[in-house]
Structure formats: structure tokens, C-alpha cells
Amino acid sequence: MDKLTTAISLSPLFRDLPLEHRIKIRQISIEKSYRKGECIFTEGDESNGFYLIVEGKVKIFKLSSEGKEKILHIFTDGEPFGEVAVFSGSEFPAGAETLVKSHLAFFPRNAFVNLITEHPTLAMNMMAVLSKRLKQFTAQIEELSLKDVPGRLAGYLLYLSQEQKNEGRVALSITKGQLASLLGTIPETLSRMMAKMAGQKLIDVQGRDIALLDIEGLEELATSGRLAED
């Protein structure tokens, strides 16, 4: 089984489908390779299909009128992005760029819509993924609106510990600058908050490896959104 077939089989969009359906999905896919830092699409481009990451890492972002970048999400192996194209056929609402050398699968909108028409289960899977994505963005908006940077950071670290299945330690797969953008702040503020949290024995930072020293304290911080004063 090649890497693309494996990625399709493991993706939340497709893994519950019968093998014969996954074979058809494989047949309409177009493999694409990108270098690190290469643009996949920009905000406003025609959305004529969507993507699945076979191997790699992709950031979804928007630029302000002043050119400041805000990272909305970072996707990795097995995750789809750009799915809005399947239903709307309109423009991409944000840009996408690779963070590392990446191997992607592209699914043309017309061919994929034909498959959905033949296999309604596929539409239900896609709706489930989009619902989860909407929930994530709603939570992100709440985090950015109601919590200070330490609360956002604590919540993200706890989320990472669940994703990486390691309650005591997490490994950042992105730079601190990218993490700052994802959390809606600047690198200097992020570094200052990390130092404060380390000073209060909540975390211990060693490069991109972060030990979670006080899970209860981090959970309280993630809920309150504010760091206790020294």
C-alpha cells in the first residue's frame, strides 16, 4: 500500500468508507509535492478542490490590511483542508502555505461532488469533519476574545498533551513565532509569559520541549485565562 492510499484509509474523512469507495477516491486524487514555505493557495483564489496531507505540515492563515499574518490553524499528516470548495465552489477564505516539505493529495471539486452523489456516506463524513472544525474555530475565537495570553498558552499546551498522549511533556512542532501568531500575540509577549509560567513552576521550557509541571495549575489557568500575580 503506497503512502497516499494509507493516508486516505486513515483520514477521518474516508476511514469509515468501504474499500471500494476508498479506491475510487484514490483514483480521482492528484498528488502534489511542495517545498518548505511554498504557497498552496492564497486568500481569494478560486476554490476548485480541496487537499489532504499525506506527509507534511501546512498553516492556514490570513493577512491583515497592514500585512500582518494571523495563523488560524496548522494541519499535519492525514488531515484535510480547503473543504469549503466542495460545497461552495467559491473563493478560498484564507491562504495555505507549507511549514515543511510536504506531500499532498488534491481532490478536484467536480470529481469529488460526483462521488458524493453516488455515495452519501461520504457527505456525512465530511459534514462531521466540518462540524468539528467549526467547533475548533468557535473555541479559538472565545480564547482570543476572553482570555489573556497565559490562558491561551495553557489551553494550547494541555491540548497538545492530549494530542501527543503525554500528560507530563509536550514537543512543539512549530516555531515560537508561529505559536505566537496562532495564539494571537507576538513572540516577545509569548516568551515573557512562558518565563512567568516557568517562574511559577507551571512549566519548564527547554527549547521546543516543554515539561508540564503542574497540570492542575495549568487547567485552572486555561479556565480563568489569567496568570496569578507574583
Side-chain angles (χ1 to χ4, degrees):
M1 187 181 294
D2 64 14
K3 289 181 179 179
L4 176 50
T5 302
T6 300
I8 289 172
S9 297
L10 296 177
S11 169
L13 273 184
F14 309 129
R15 63 189 173 205
D16 295 330
L17 297 177
L19 176 60
E20 62 198 74
H21 295 176
R22 282 184 269 130
I23 290 173
K24 289 183 179 180
I25 290 164
R26 174 68 175 84
Q27 290 170 344
I28 69 165
S29 65
I30 300 170
E31 295 188 69
K32 294 176 177 280
S33 294
Y34 293 86
R35 300 181 303 275
K36 177 182 177 180
E38 191 169 355
C39 176
I40 301 167
F41 54 78
T42 59
E43 182 178 354
D45 284 353
E46 180 186 358
S47 56
N48 56 354
F50 74 100
Y51 298 80
L52 176 73
I53 302 177
V54 179
E55 284 184 309
K57 195 177 273 82
V58 172
K59 68 177 179 182
I60 307 298
F61 67 96
K62 291 181 76 73
L63 293 176
S64 69
S65 55
E66 295 81 24
K68 183 178 179 182
E69 180 182 279
K70 167 63 180 128
I71 296 178
L72 302 176
H73 205 91
I74 293 174
F75 295 114
T76 188
D77 298 5
E79 294 187 286
F81 63 95
E83 309 96 318
V84 67
V86 176
F87 296 103
S88 69
S90 58
E91 300 173 344
F92 284 114
E97 182 182 299
T98 56
L99 292 174
V100 297
K101 181 180 177 182
S102 298
H103 175 197
L104 309 180
F106 175 71
F107 302 94
R109 179 177 184 269
N110 290 340
F112 195 77
V113 167
N114 289 338
L115 276 183
I116 286 180
T117 302
E118 294 174 18
H119 310 293
T121 304
L122 188 52
M124 294 300 294
N125 282 13
M126 179 159 277
M127 287 174 65
V129 170
L130 289 175
S131 296
K132 181 181 178 182
R133 194 73 47 80
L134 179 60
K135 185 177 179 181
Q136 289 173 336
F137 280 125
T138 302
Q140 185 180 34
I141 291 169
E142 182 181 350
E143 291 274 322
L144 294 175
S145 302
L146 303 178
K147 295 181 181 178
D148 291 340
V149 175
R152 299 175 215 160
L153 176 57
Y156 183 75
L157 293 176
L158 291 169
Y159 162 77
L160 272 189
S161 72
Q162 293 177 346
E163 285 286 298
Q164 298 177 8
K165 296 180 172 56
N166 186 351
E167 290 187 4
R169 184 174 296 274
V170 299
L172 295 179
S173 60
I174 56 177
T175 67
K176 288 182 181 176
Q178 291 162 349
L179 176 57
S181 176
L182 186 63
L183 297 179
T185 187
I186 58 176
E188 294 79 7
T189 300
L190 179 66
S191 294
R192 191 166 62 251
M193 291 304 104
M194 278 187 166
K196 269 191 102 171
M197 290 168 67
Q200 295 187 11
K201 307 299 183 186
L202 293 170
I203 60 175
D204 178 55
V205 183
Q206 300 294 330
R208 292 195 184 186
D209 289 326
I210 302 177
L212 310 186
L213 304 178
D214 183 354
I215 299 293
E216 238 179 70
L218 287 170
E219 289 174 344
E220 184 179 337
L221 176 55
T223 302
S224 68
R226 295 181 181 278
L227 196 61
E229 294 299 326
D230 295 329

